[in-house]
Amino acid sequence: MNNSIVVCPKCGNQVTSTAKFCPACGQKMIAIDIPQVFPAGGQGDFRQQQQYQQPNQQQQYYQQGKSKLAAGLLGIFLGHLGIHNFYLGFTGKAVGQLILSIIGYITLIFFIGWIFVAIAGIWGLIEGIMILAGTIRTDAKGIPLRS
């Protein structure tokens, strides 16, 4: 397939045919192959032309992207438990934050647990701010976060 220009069905922005998402609106570009038939009197051969269509309603719901505001607020307020990373699909990081917090809460009776809780809290706070500031722009599947 050549690197031609197509139009995003959602916003009308010009996008290269190899792009998976529209850079302007984040719409997932779905390629379909449609045979192009030449008029009578021609060679009668079929050529494949790549066209794009809007995903159906169910695909659009699942591929629309997670809320940037929700992820950022979860990171700020519940980030020490990794809730924002579970929401975005980063389960490895989320489990790490959760375990760090659990160990911290268990060892609070020995007065060393506050260090673990503080580390997990600062980690979550920083990630929450990064999400809201736009430094973290996609979820674990690479789908852009929606505003």
mmCIF file of all heavy atoms in Angstrom, residues 83-109:
data_model
loop_
_atom_site.group_PDB
_atom_site.id
_atom_site.type_symbol
_atom_site.label_atom_id
_atom_site.label_comp_id
_atom_site.label_asym_id
_atom_site.label_seq_id
_atom_site.Cartn_x
_atom_site.Cartn_y
_atom_site.Cartn_z
ATOM 1 N N ILE A 83 -5.149 3.106 41.252
ATOM 2 C CA ILE A 83 -6.470 3.044 40.608
ATOM 3 C C ILE A 83 -6.438 3.650 39.203
ATOM 4 O O ILE A 83 -7.031 3.107 38.272
ATOM 5 C CB ILE A 83 -7.536 3.753 41.473
ATOM 6 C CG1 ILE A 83 -7.595 3.147 42.875
ATOM 7 C CG2 ILE A 83 -8.896 3.726 40.807
ATOM 8 C CD1 ILE A 83 -7.977 1.707 42.938
ATOM 9 N N HIS A 84 -5.739 4.753 39.019
ATOM 10 C CA HIS A 84 -5.677 5.396 37.702
ATOM 11 C C HIS A 84 -4.985 4.499 36.681
ATOM 12 O O HIS A 84 -5.358 4.474 35.514
ATOM 13 C CB HIS A 84 -4.988 6.757 37.791
ATOM 14 C CG HIS A 84 -3.557 6.688 38.222
ATOM 15 N ND1 HIS A 84 -3.173 6.289 39.491
ATOM 16 C CD2 HIS A 84 -2.417 6.953 37.553
ATOM 17 C CE1 HIS A 84 -1.858 6.324 39.570
ATOM 18 N NE2 HIS A 84 -1.373 6.732 38.415
ATOM 19 N N ASN A 85 -3.987 3.743 37.105
ATOM 20 C CA ASN A 85 -3.314 2.829 36.178
ATOM 21 C C ASN A 85 -4.181 1.620 35.845
ATOM 22 O O ASN A 85 -4.143 1.115 34.731
ATOM 23 C CB ASN A 85 -1.964 2.400 36.744
ATOM 24 C CG ASN A 85 -0.918 3.468 36.572
ATOM 25 O OD1 ASN A 85 -0.856 4.119 35.531
ATOM 26 N ND2 ASN A 85 -0.107 3.687 37.584
ATOM 27 N N PHE A 86 -4.982 1.132 36.812
ATOM 28 C CA PHE A 86 -5.951 0.092 36.484
ATOM 29 C C PHE A 86 -6.943 0.626 35.456
ATOM 30 O O PHE A 86 -7.286 -0.058 34.489
ATOM 31 C CB PHE A 86 -6.710 -0.377 37.736
ATOM 32 C CG PHE A 86 -5.956 -1.354 38.588
ATOM 33 C CD1 PHE A 86 -5.614 -1.042 39.890
ATOM 34 C CD2 PHE A 86 -5.590 -2.603 38.106
ATOM 35 C CE1 PHE A 86 -4.936 -1.937 40.696
ATOM 36 C CE2 PHE A 86 -4.908 -3.506 38.895
ATOM 37 C CZ PHE A 86 -4.578 -3.181 40.195
ATOM 38 N N TYR A 87 -7.411 1.856 35.636
ATOM 39 C CA TYR A 87 -8.370 2.474 34.719
ATOM 40 C C TYR A 87 -7.796 2.594 33.305
ATOM 41 O O TYR A 87 -8.490 2.343 32.324
ATOM 42 C CB TYR A 87 -8.762 3.856 35.256
ATOM 43 C CG TYR A 87 -9.666 4.657 34.352
ATOM 44 C CD1 TYR A 87 -10.978 4.274 34.117
ATOM 45 C CD2 TYR A 87 -9.212 5.822 33.736
ATOM 46 C CE1 TYR A 87 -11.809 5.012 33.295
ATOM 47 C CE2 TYR A 87 -10.033 6.568 32.916
ATOM 48 C CZ TYR A 87 -11.324 6.160 32.706
ATOM 49 O OH TYR A 87 -12.150 6.890 31.885
ATOM 50 N N LEU A 88 -6.525 2.957 33.200
ATOM 51 C CA LEU A 88 -5.899 3.128 31.886
ATOM 52 C C LEU A 88 -5.362 1.829 31.297
ATOM 53 O O LEU A 88 -4.930 1.804 30.156
ATOM 54 C CB LEU A 88 -4.758 4.153 31.978
ATOM 55 C CG LEU A 88 -5.187 5.585 32.275
ATOM 56 C CD1 LEU A 88 -3.971 6.489 32.429
ATOM 57 C CD2 LEU A 88 -6.117 6.117 31.200
ATOM 58 N N GLY A 89 -5.372 0.751 32.072
ATOM 59 C CA GLY A 89 -4.933 -0.547 31.557
ATOM 60 C C GLY A 89 -3.486 -0.882 31.839
ATOM 61 O O GLY A 89 -2.987 -1.903 31.371
ATOM 62 N N PHE A 90 -2.771 -0.062 32.587
ATOM 63 C CA PHE A 90 -1.383 -0.336 32.943
ATOM 64 C C PHE A 90 -1.371 -1.184 34.216
ATOM 65 O O PHE A 90 -1.034 -0.713 35.302
ATOM 66 C CB PHE A 90 -0.605 0.966 33.174
ATOM 67 C CG PHE A 90 -0.512 1.842 31.964
ATOM 68 C CD1 PHE A 90 -1.212 3.042 31.904
ATOM 69 C CD2 PHE A 90 0.270 1.487 30.876
ATOM 70 C CE1 PHE A 90 -1.121 3.865 30.805
ATOM 71 C CE2 PHE A 90 0.360 2.301 29.763
ATOM 72 C CZ PHE A 90 -0.332 3.494 29.725
ATOM 73 N N THR A 91 -1.738 -2.448 34.099
ATOM 74 C CA THR A 91 -1.931 -3.280 35.289
ATOM 75 C C THR A 91 -0.634 -3.575 36.024
ATOM 76 O O THR A 91 -0.651 -3.709 37.248
ATOM 77 C CB THR A 91 -2.630 -4.601 34.931
ATOM 78 O OG1 THR A 91 -1.921 -5.231 33.869
ATOM 79 C CG2 THR A 91 -4.066 -4.363 34.530
ATOM 80 N N GLY A 92 0.480 -3.666 35.338
ATOM 81 C CA GLY A 92 1.755 -3.926 36.005
ATOM 82 C C GLY A 92 2.125 -2.812 36.976
ATOM 83 O O GLY A 92 2.464 -3.057 38.144
ATOM 84 N N LYS A 93 2.048 -1.574 36.487
ATOM 85 C CA LYS A 93 2.324 -0.418 37.355
ATOM 86 C C LYS A 93 1.300 -0.328 38.471
ATOM 87 O O LYS A 93 1.629 -0.004 39.611
ATOM 88 C CB LYS A 93 2.274 0.885 36.542
ATOM 89 C CG LYS A 93 3.578 1.306 35.977
ATOM 90 C CD LYS A 93 3.607 2.767 35.586
ATOM 91 C CE LYS A 93 2.543 3.215 34.647
ATOM 92 N NZ LYS A 93 2.718 4.595 34.191
ATOM 93 N N ALA A 94 0.059 -0.605 38.147
ATOM 94 C CA ALA A 94 -1.010 -0.500 39.142
ATOM 95 C C ALA A 94 -0.806 -1.497 40.275
ATOM 96 O O ALA A 94 -0.952 -1.149 41.449
ATOM 97 C CB ALA A 94 -2.370 -0.730 38.474
ATOM 98 N N VAL A 95 -0.453 -2.713 39.936
ATOM 99 C CA VAL A 95 -0.205 -3.728 40.970
ATOM 100 C C VAL A 95 0.997 -3.325 41.811
ATOM 101 O O VAL A 95 0.990 -3.486 43.032
ATOM 102 C CB VAL A 95 -0.025 -5.126 40.332
ATOM 103 C CG1 VAL A 95 0.499 -6.135 41.337
ATOM 104 C CG2 VAL A 95 -1.335 -5.609 39.734
ATOM 105 N N GLY A 96 2.023 -2.765 41.186
ATOM 106 C CA GLY A 96 3.195 -2.296 41.926
ATOM 107 C C GLY A 96 2.837 -1.218 42.935
ATOM 108 O O GLY A 96 3.281 -1.259 44.091
ATOM 109 N N GLN A 97 2.023 -0.263 42.525
ATOM 110 C CA GLN A 97 1.596 0.800 43.444
ATOM 111 C C GLN A 97 0.724 0.246 44.564
ATOM 112 O O GLN A 97 0.862 0.639 45.724
ATOM 113 C CB GLN A 97 0.841 1.891 42.685
ATOM 114 C CG GLN A 97 1.739 2.751 41.838
ATOM 115 C CD GLN A 97 0.967 3.716 40.958
ATOM 116 O OE1 GLN A 97 -0.038 3.358 40.366
ATOM 117 N NE2 GLN A 97 1.446 4.946 40.876
ATOM 118 N N LEU A 98 -0.150 -0.680 44.221
ATOM 119 C CA LEU A 98 -1.026 -1.273 45.224
ATOM 120 C C LEU A 98 -0.231 -2.065 46.262
ATOM 121 O O LEU A 98 -0.452 -1.929 47.469
ATOM 122 C CB LEU A 98 -2.068 -2.158 44.542
ATOM 123 C CG LEU A 98 -3.130 -2.792 45.426
ATOM 124 C CD1 LEU A 98 -3.945 -1.724 46.132
ATOM 125 C CD2 LEU A 98 -4.032 -3.684 44.599
ATOM 126 N N ILE A 99 0.730 -2.865 45.809
ATOM 127 C CA ILE A 99 1.555 -3.647 46.736
ATOM 128 C C ILE A 99 2.390 -2.724 47.616
ATOM 129 O O ILE A 99 2.526 -2.950 48.822
ATOM 130 C CB ILE A 99 2.441 -4.645 45.957
ATOM 131 C CG1 ILE A 99 1.572 -5.756 45.369
ATOM 132 C CG2 ILE A 99 3.532 -5.224 46.836
ATOM 133 C CD1 ILE A 99 2.290 -6.699 44.438
ATOM 134 N N LEU A 100 2.956 -1.682 47.028
ATOM 135 C CA LEU A 100 3.739 -0.719 47.807
ATOM 136 C C LEU A 100 2.883 -0.082 48.906
ATOM 137 O O LEU A 100 3.329 0.052 50.050
ATOM 138 C CB LEU A 100 4.313 0.355 46.885
ATOM 139 C CG LEU A 100 5.337 1.313 47.470
ATOM 140 C CD1 LEU A 100 6.584 0.567 47.900
ATOM 141 C CD2 LEU A 100 5.699 2.373 46.435
ATOM 142 N N SER A 101 1.645 0.269 48.569
ATOM 143 C CA SER A 101 0.752 0.859 49.569
ATOM 144 C C SER A 101 0.367 -0.145 50.650
ATOM 145 O O SER A 101 0.348 0.182 51.837
ATOM 146 C CB SER A 101 -0.514 1.385 48.903
ATOM 147 O OG SER A 101 -0.226 2.507 48.134
ATOM 148 N N ILE A 102 0.064 -1.367 50.242
ATOM 149 C CA ILE A 102 -0.324 -2.387 51.220
ATOM 150 C C ILE A 102 0.820 -2.663 52.184
ATOM 151 O O ILE A 102 0.619 -2.724 53.405
ATOM 152 C CB ILE A 102 -0.790 -3.679 50.510
ATOM 153 C CG1 ILE A 102 -2.131 -3.430 49.815
ATOM 154 C CG2 ILE A 102 -0.899 -4.836 51.492
ATOM 155 C CD1 ILE A 102 -2.585 -4.559 48.921
ATOM 156 N N ILE A 103 2.029 -2.813 51.662
ATOM 157 C CA ILE A 103 3.196 -3.022 52.527
ATOM 158 C C ILE A 103 3.373 -1.824 53.460
ATOM 159 O O ILE A 103 3.668 -1.974 54.645
ATOM 160 C CB ILE A 103 4.467 -3.275 51.692
ATOM 161 C CG1 ILE A 103 4.374 -4.640 51.003
ATOM 162 C CG2 ILE A 103 5.722 -3.194 52.551
ATOM 163 C CD1 ILE A 103 5.472 -4.891 49.996
ATOM 164 N N GLY A 104 3.164 -0.631 52.922
ATOM 165 C CA GLY A 104 3.279 0.574 53.738
ATOM 166 C C GLY A 104 2.275 0.604 54.868
ATOM 167 O O GLY A 104 2.610 0.908 56.011
ATOM 168 N N TYR A 105 1.008 0.276 54.558
ATOM 169 C CA TYR A 105 -0.022 0.299 55.603
ATOM 170 C C TYR A 105 0.217 -0.788 56.652
ATOM 171 O O TYR A 105 -0.025 -0.577 57.834
ATOM 172 C CB TYR A 105 -1.418 0.172 54.994
ATOM 173 C CG TYR A 105 -1.869 1.424 54.280
ATOM 174 C CD1 TYR A 105 -2.261 1.398 52.951
ATOM 175 C CD2 TYR A 105 -1.895 2.642 54.945
ATOM 176 C CE1 TYR A 105 -2.675 2.541 52.300
ATOM 177 C CE2 TYR A 105 -2.293 3.797 54.310
ATOM 178 C CZ TYR A 105 -2.684 3.745 52.980
ATOM 179 O OH TYR A 105 -3.078 4.894 52.339
ATOM 180 N N ILE A 106 0.703 -1.951 56.224
ATOM 181 C CA ILE A 106 0.980 -3.033 57.176
ATOM 182 C C ILE A 106 2.134 -2.664 58.102
ATOM 183 O O ILE A 106 2.094 -2.930 59.300
ATOM 184 C CB ILE A 106 1.264 -4.356 56.430
ATOM 185 C CG1 ILE A 106 -0.027 -4.863 55.771
ATOM 186 C CG2 ILE A 106 1.835 -5.406 57.369
ATOM 187 C CD1 ILE A 106 0.173 -6.047 54.857
ATOM 188 N N THR A 107 3.160 -2.036 57.546
ATOM 189 C CA THR A 107 4.336 -1.707 58.355
ATOM 190 C C THR A 107 4.239 -0.359 59.062
ATOM 191 O O THR A 107 5.216 0.088 59.662
ATOM 192 C CB THR A 107 5.613 -1.751 57.483
ATOM 193 O OG1 THR A 107 5.464 -0.833 56.397
ATOM 194 C CG2 THR A 107 5.875 -3.142 56.957
ATOM 195 N N LEU A 108 3.083 0.275 59.010
ATOM 196 C CA LEU A 108 2.904 1.531 59.755
ATOM 197 C C LEU A 108 3.064 1.316 61.260
ATOM 198 O O LEU A 108 3.478 2.234 61.971
ATOM 199 C CB LEU A 108 1.531 2.137 59.468
ATOM 200 C CG LEU A 108 1.441 3.081 58.279
ATOM 201 C CD1 LEU A 108 0.012 3.529 58.049
ATOM 202 C CD2 LEU A 108 2.345 4.274 58.428
ATOM 203 N N ILE A 109 2.774 0.109 61.711
ATOM 204 C CA ILE A 109 2.924 -0.154 63.153
ATOM 205 C C ILE A 109 4.393 -0.138 63.570
ATOM 206 O O ILE A 109 4.699 0.026 64.740
ATOM 207 C CB ILE A 109 2.256 -1.484 63.554
ATOM 208 C CG1 ILE A 109 2.858 -2.664 62.783
ATOM 209 C CG2 ILE A 109 0.762 -1.422 63.354
ATOM 210 C CD1 ILE A 109 2.367 -4.022 63.229
#
